[in-house]
Amino acid sequence: MAWDWQMFCEDTLDRTVREGCFGTGGDITYLDWMLSAWGWTVSVSLLALLLALVTGVVIGTLRTLPDSKWIVRFGNAWVEVFRNIPLLVQIFLWYHVVPAVFPAMKSMSGFTLVVLALGFFTSARIAEQVRSGIQALPRGQRYAGMAVGFTTWQTYRYVLLPNAFRIIIPPLTSETMNIFKNSSVAFAVSVTELTMFAMQAQEETGRGIEVYMAVTGLYIVSAFTINRIMTFIEKRVRVPGLVAPGAAGGH
């Protein structure tokens, strides 16, 4: 069977080929639709990543606080809940159950609820990495902060977290790539991202090979771009000899 890439230049309504492959005057081609879906995918992924980073850093830090048993338990419970429930189940919970329990959330769009679900799901994984990064630091770094009169907040802010982040950038890179791939489940609640586009476009055109190859390529471009950005950051902030095997700076 011959491939027909010209299908991306077709109008989504009357299937006529548009010159230049982009619609005009309100017309939409399959290429327009795919690029719009890619925009939704990137938007969901970046917003969820921001939420995951902020929440993950906070929860991961709380899990290493000394003499704070109940705070540590709260952090542990957060990680266990959000890490052990499948992402698709969490999305349905946010979409169907949470608004029923909290009526104020009924006005939230599916896009917002997907960002919350994906962000909190990933935050549990990032929290575990932050905890591990802090505990991988030499114990003396915490004591050094205390010795110069830093409060617990200042010790984390100026000593522990900056060094821990340098350690966890490689696994954090994997999580940033995963969040782009995991965003594909947003189709389950009718967010028009790449996966939903692929499912609908291949049904309308009968060109599943072309559609899924193009969508796969966009996922690869997205993940590879974030990988290169994180690799650049890692090289810029790397401190040779920072990691101390078998150390436990978090306690």
Side-chain angles (χ1 to χ4, degrees):
M1 181 179 65
W3 291 352
D4 180 17
W5 296 101
Q6 187 172 265
M7 53 83 47
F8 285 102
C9 300
E10 295 178 358
D11 188 280
T12 57
L13 295 178
D14 57 23
R15 301 293 303 278
T16 58
V17 177
R18 300 298 181 182
E19 184 177 355
C21 289
F22 290 100
T24 57
D27 296 331
I28 299 175
T29 65
Y30 284 99
L31 181 60
D32 291 324
W33 185 8
M34 183 174 68
L35 293 179
S36 174
W38 190 22
W40 283 107
T41 292
V42 172
S43 298
V44 167
S45 302
L46 291 181
L47 290 175
L49 177 60
L50 178 61
L51 176 61
L53 286 172
V54 173
T55 309
V57 169
V58 172
I59 297 297
T61 301
L62 293 180
R63 298 180 70 200
T64 66
L65 289 177
D67 305 319
S68 302
K69 180 174 62 176
W70 288 104
I71 293 179
V72 171
R73 287 179 177 175
F74 168 77
N76 292 339
W78 180 282
V79 171
E80 293 303 319
V81 168
F82 285 101
R83 186 175 61 178
N84 292 324
I85 299 176
L87 176 57
L88 189 58
V89 174
Q90 291 192 39
I91 287 179
F92 281 123
L93 287 174
W94 279 97
Y95 194 76
H96 295 290
V97 178
V98 174
V101 177
F102 302 99
M105 298 185 68
K106 289 183 178 179
S107 60
M108 288 188 176
S109 63
F111 175 86
T112 301
L113 295 174
V114 167
V115 168
L116 292 174
L118 184 56
F120 287 143
F121 172 80
T122 309
S123 74
R125 303 172 65 89
I126 292 178
E128 183 67 12
Q129 293 168 4
V130 171
R131 180 192 66 83
S132 299
I134 293 174
Q135 293 183 340
L137 296 172
R139 189 186 301 271
Q141 291 199 14
R142 181 188 292 275
Y143 297 153
M146 297 169 59
V148 299
F150 282 171
T151 62
T152 299
W153 157 252
Q154 291 173 324
T155 300
Y156 277 91
R157 168 66 179 82
Y158 296 109
V159 181
L160 298 180
L161 286 176
N163 289 326
F165 282 137
R166 289 174 166 87
I167 295 174
I168 68 172
I169 285 180
L172 198 58
T173 299
S174 296
E175 291 304 325
T176 57
M177 295 172 66
N178 284 337
I179 209 166
F180 275 89
K181 293 180 287 185
N182 289 338
S183 67
S184 62
V185 300
F187 83 92
V189 291
S190 300
V191 175
T192 54
E193 45 70 65
L194 281 173
T195 299
M196 173 168 280
F197 159 77
M199 295 171 62
Q200 294 184 353
Q202 70 91 20
E203 288 183 3
E204 294 179 9
T205 65
R207 292 290 176 178
I209 294 178
E210 293 88 338
V211 169
Y212 279 102
M213 286 185 67
V215 167
T216 299
L218 291 180
Y219 275 118
I220 291 174
V221 169
S222 302
F224 183 76
T225 300
I226 201 70
N227 175 274
R228 292 299 89 195
I229 293 173
M230 294 297 291
T231 300
F232 173 77
I233 294 174
E234 179 186 1
K235 290 180 178 178
R236 291 296 300 270
V237 303
R238 180 183 297 160
V239 177
L242 174 65
V243 181
H251 298 287

